[in-house]
Amino acid sequence: MQYDYKEKEVKINRREFLGFIGVLTAAIWSGLYAVTDVFVDRTKYIKMRTAGLYQDDEKQAARQSHKNKSLMNMYKSLNFSPTSPLAEELFHTHYIDRSVL
Amino acid sequence: MSKSYQKNELDSIIKIDEQKCKGCDTCTAFCPADAIDGAYGAVHKIDSSRCLQCGQCLINCPFGAIDDTVDAVDLVMSKLKDGKTTVVATIAPAVRVALGEEFGMEPGKLVTEQMYGALKEAGFKIMDVNFAADNTIMEEGTELVHKIQKYVLGMDSHEELGPLPQFTSCCPAWVRYMELYSPTLRKHLSSAKSPQGMAGPVAKIYGASEIWKVAPESIFCVGIYPCTAKKMEASRPEFTAAADYWKKRGHTATYQDTDVVLTTRDLARLLKKLNIDITNVKPAEEKDNPLAEYTGAGTIFGATGGVMEAALRTAYFVLTGEELSQLKYEPVRGLKEVKKADVPIKLKNSGKEITLKVAVVHGTKNVEPLLEEVKDGKSPYHFIEVMNCPGGCVNGGGQPINPMGTSWTGKFKAFLPW
């Protein structure tokens, strides 16, 4: 009996093979990276800084802006009040249309 | 001058270094304004006319390829040395919880006293932007209360008032976004300036005449912010209120309200150049300095929801005549992209009950659906806070970079061969 088994011809060339491996590697790596999201909280430093500010809030004797005595003294000593004409001049502004500049 | 900037405004603050850019495309995902051009794998470039100068790309670039090109550190050092100038440091809330990171402390460490101490050692006079944040609440909150009285309660008003909903105007990147991409809605922005916009006039008018007793022209106002967009905001031609005020009183000089801006990173660099280490500096309290007095409401401006919470604490008092029994307002805290809340308010004179509807957005891209509602006249809100950077100013583009591994290459450095 004659042995007539013939191996299937490879339909993929070297370049395609490398491309395929490249894509596969990228997929595996980005998959692995995505999995780290489960363990690593990438917003942790934001939460820690925010906690620092809330800690500062709770430390203060006064926690509402209208209880800032020095601020109220400033309004008194320059003889004006919020949204008065002098306040408009110093503390208010207007906005421009930047799409036409 | 690049398009979309006024004369003398700083543009192109944020730049990508062509030599260092690997074309990884990380930055485009963080850009709130689609201002970065470049295909995956190719060198990227920022279109300054679209850019908000927020610096989110800079703090998130895994290769450190993006730079803040406006550097005032040497100028500030020369002003500190010249002996004729009163150099005032105005310091934003979010700086005090991040400056420590540049000196090896853990993120979020509150270093207010060490920071004051270091600034005094360097020769600065101190004004806290938290004072100006309280000032902003008084102006912006009063404006909001007047709008509610006019549009919700139908009371007479002779003031010129913008429409509801009112948007916050504290964040310069967000303000630029509104002015550039939704200019028809800009009347919805609070007319109150940002805390930086108020800090300058306070320092150069009240500070000059009452606190430091010096000529306003001799004050050099240095803004210290967690933000690169503040550099652009400080250069706005409208922000010359102090000079305009003094011109009406016989002075002639022209200057900006805030002369230069340093980011948290810039400040750390300046202190290091002067050999000042905040980990072993004599802490200072500034108890006798009126311009360093601030309330808890002023300090939470640096986090998403903070401006809203601060405004509610005061607006509630003005409308109801009573203080809030519980100051901590959970619904506006946290990192959810859009936070919404209904605040029941019982008016002090009539006893009538109204519901104040508020929304808080961080990450400017998330504001688009809310802007659409406003455009269609269907917005249910009275007051909307927007901060450009995810998490608010604590995560601003001028903050220390990558304290615990936002950069993914950092994680693999340990076993990469190069």
Side-chain angles (χ1 to χ4, degrees), chain A residues 15 18 24 40 61 72 90 94 100-101:
Chain A
R15 276 174 178 273
L18 287 175
L24 193 67
V40 187
M72 295 306 146
L90 300 183
H94 61 275
V100 297
L101 284 181

Side-chain angles (χ1 to χ4, degrees), chain B residues 71-378:
Chain B
D71 181 3
V73 169
D74 290 335
L75 176 62
V76 173
M77 282 174 66
S78 71
K79 292 283 177 190
L80 284 167
K81 250 188 265 166
D82 78 4
K84 314 180 284 242
T85 314
T86 305
V87 187
V88 178
T90 57
I91 321 123
V95 177
R96 72 206 65 208
V97 291
L99 182 64
E101 291 164 30
E102 295 278 353
F103 295 88
M105 297 179 187
E106 65 168 17
K109 177 93 175 129
L110 184 63
V111 293
T112 317
E113 283 87 17
Q114 291 96 315
M115 183 177 73
Y116 286 168
L119 288 166
K120 286 179 102 166
E121 200 175 314
F124 288 98
K125 297 276 186 253
I126 289 171
M127 170 176 175
D128 207 309
V129 170
N130 288 7
F131 175 95
D134 282 332
N135 197 348
T136 303
I137 288 298
M138 293 315 295
E139 295 294 340
E140 188 166 353
T142 306
E143 184 189 0
L144 178 69
V145 167
H146 287 179
K147 284 182 192 172
I148 288 169
Q149 287 169 340
K150 182 175 174 183
Y151 300 118
V152 181
L153 305 173
M155 287 162 68
D156 282 341
S157 169
H158 306 292
E159 254 179 285
E160 201 189 309
L161 288 168
L164 287 174
Q166 173 172 307
F167 284 92
T168 56
S169 58
C170 306
C171 171
W174 151 241
V175 167
R176 180 167 160 77
Y177 185 88
M178 180 72 118
E179 290 182 318
L180 187 53
Y181 298 108
S182 292
T184 52
L185 300 180
R186 65 189 192 277
K187 285 256 180 257
H188 286 270
L189 284 168
S190 164
S191 73
K193 290 178 187 172
S194 68
Q196 166 166 268
M198 299 197 185
V202 170
K204 289 183 175 179
I205 296 170
Y206 184 60
S209 54
E210 304 283 331
I211 312 292
W212 302 300
K213 302 195 183 348
V214 292
E217 296 80 12
S218 72
I219 291 183
F220 189 73
C221 181
V222 181
I224 301 171
Y225 290 89
C227 182
T228 45
K230 284 284 175 197
K231 294 185 173 182
M232 169 194 74
E233 187 191 52
S235 70
R236 285 186 78 113
E238 302 89 27
F239 282 17
T240 55
D244 298 341
Y245 174 92
W246 288 114
K247 274 180 194 165
K248 288 179 193 158
R249 288 154 182 85
H251 295 241
T252 52
T254 301
Y255 40 80
Q256 289 298 114
D257 289 333
T258 297
D259 293 279
V260 293
V261 170
L262 300 178
T263 62
T264 309
R265 293 190 299 272
D266 291 338
L267 175 63
R269 208 149 41 81
L270 178 135
L271 293 176
K272 284 173 185 172
K273 275 192 173 183
L274 295 170
N275 289 320
I276 299 171
D277 182 348
I278 66 160
T279 57
N280 59 20
V281 78
K282 194 170 153 236
E285 288 228 4
E286 291 294 293
K287 284 250 188 279
D288 304 325
N289 177 357
L291 294 183
E293 181 178 338
Y294 66 88
T295 71
T299 206
I300 57 175
F301 258 61
T304 171
V307 176
M308 181 60 71
E309 191 171 334
L312 287 176
R313 288 179 190 179
T314 290
Y316 187 90
F317 170 71
V318 174
L319 287 167
T320 64
E322 287 164 28
E323 301 288 358
L324 275 167
S325 53
Q326 167 73 9
L327 289 180
K328 184 175 174 184
Y329 192 61
E330 279 293 349
V332 297
R333 296 190 176 191
L335 291 178
K336 203 173 151 224
E337 283 90 354
V338 181
K339 292 164 276 185
K340 300 166 184 177
D342 291 342
V343 188
I345 284 180
K346 197 175 175 199
L347 298 168
K348 65 176 163 190
N349 294 326
S350 60
K352 198 179 151 194
E353 287 189 34
I354 58 167
T355 304
L356 194 63
K357 290 177 101 58
V358 301
V360 173
V361 184
H362 60 127
T364 297
K365 272 193 173 163
N366 300 318
V367 80
E368 272 305 322
L370 285 92
L371 288 175
E372 283 304 317
E373 284 180 340
V374 178
K375 262 177 211 156
D376 299 342
K378 288 186 200 142

Side-chain angles (χ1 to χ4, degrees), chain B residues 388-405:
Chain B
N388 174 77
C389 295
C393 318
V394 288
N395 186 34
Q399 291 285 60
I401 294 166
N402 184 21
M404 48 209 315

Side-chain angles (χ1 to χ4, degrees), chain A residues 79-93:
Chain A
N79 196 22
F80 72 124
S81 61
T83 70
S84 64
L86 181 60
E88 288 289 335
E89 189 186 318
L90 300 183
F91 300 143
H92 290 257
T93 186

